[in-house]
């Protein structure tokens, strides 16, 4: 695996929510046009105690999925548990363990920053592992039926 790029999309906290969501949509569409990926993956929403934060994250996540779908991408979704298991082999891994494994698996010199960029790379690693497993399973089934 090789990380071609990573980062985060930042919006100004003083902007109204619709404008912030537009920035996310436009930036993701531009990234999809630039990198021309075959597929995309996102983390499923983890409900926290802070309802306001959960709503904001949910809105941003929905816009992200829409932008990726508008770009013609199939979008896979993974739970935080699945991502942790795929990256570390341990579903209760902490953030530092996850970041260290992302660094190691991608052969990076340092842990990706900010934390959200490392999280996004972890989702990508999870999706790659899942796609490989799915491909192996499909090929095994095909061989069994022949």
């Amino acid at each position: 695996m090789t990380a071609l790029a990573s980062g985060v999309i930042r919006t100004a906290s003083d902007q109204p929510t619709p404008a912030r969501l537009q920035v996310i949509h436009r930036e993701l569409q531009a990234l999809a046009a630039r990198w021309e990926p075959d597929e995309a993956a996102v983390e499923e929403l983890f409900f926290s105690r802070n309802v306001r934060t959960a709503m904001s994250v949910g809105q941003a996540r929905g816009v992200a999925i829409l932008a990726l779908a508008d770009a013609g991408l199939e979008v896979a979704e993974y739970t935080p548990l699945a991502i942790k298991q795929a990256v570390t082999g341990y579903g209760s891994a902490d953030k530092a363990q996850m970041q260290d494994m992302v660094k190691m698996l991608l052969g990076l010199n340092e842990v990706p920053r900010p934390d959200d960029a490392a999280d996004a790379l972890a989702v990508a690693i999870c999706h790659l592992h899942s796609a490989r497993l799915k491909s192996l399973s499909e090929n095994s089934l095909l061989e069994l039926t022949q």
Side-chain angles (χ1 to χ4, degrees):
M1 291 181 279
T2 302
L4 300 177
S6 67
V8 297
I9 297 171
R10 296 195 188 277
T11 62
S13 60
D14 61 346
Q15 284 186 312
T17 299
R20 295 176 81 179
L21 296 175
Q22 282 180 317
V23 168
I24 293 167
H25 190 270
R26 287 184 192 131
E27 291 291 323
L28 279 174
Q29 284 191 316
L31 288 168
R34 177 178 180 199
W35 293 103
E36 299 179 348
D38 296 322
E39 301 171 8
V42 297
E43 183 175 357
E44 287 185 6
L45 185 58
F46 175 77
F47 288 99
S48 64
R49 293 181 186 188
N50 186 335
V51 175
R52 176 170 279 163
T53 299
M55 291 296 293
S56 296
V57 172
Q59 289 175 329
R61 185 179 174 282
V63 166
I65 292 170
L66 173 64
L68 297 168
D70 280 351
L73 300 172
E74 195 171 311
V75 181
E77 300 178 65
Y78 299 97
T79 65
L81 175 66
I83 296 164
K84 289 177 181 184
Q85 287 176 330
V87 174
T88 68
Y90 178 58
S92 295
D94 64 27
K95 188 163 282 289
Q97 290 170 314
M98 288 289 292
Q99 292 172 340
D100 287 340
M101 284 302 293
V102 166
K103 175 186 165 194
M104 187 184 78
L105 289 170
L106 297 175
L108 304 174
N109 292 329
E110 56 190 42
V111 170
R113 296 284 177 223
D115 290 351
D116 292 331
D119 293 347
L121 289 169
V123 174
I125 292 167
C126 175
H127 185 61
L128 285 171
H129 287 319
S130 179
R132 286 180 184 156
L133 183 60
K134 182 179 176 184
S135 176
L136 288 172
S137 296
E138 288 171 356
N139 289 338
S140 295
L141 286 174
L142 182 61
E143 289 174 8
L144 289 174
T145 59
Q146 292 180 349

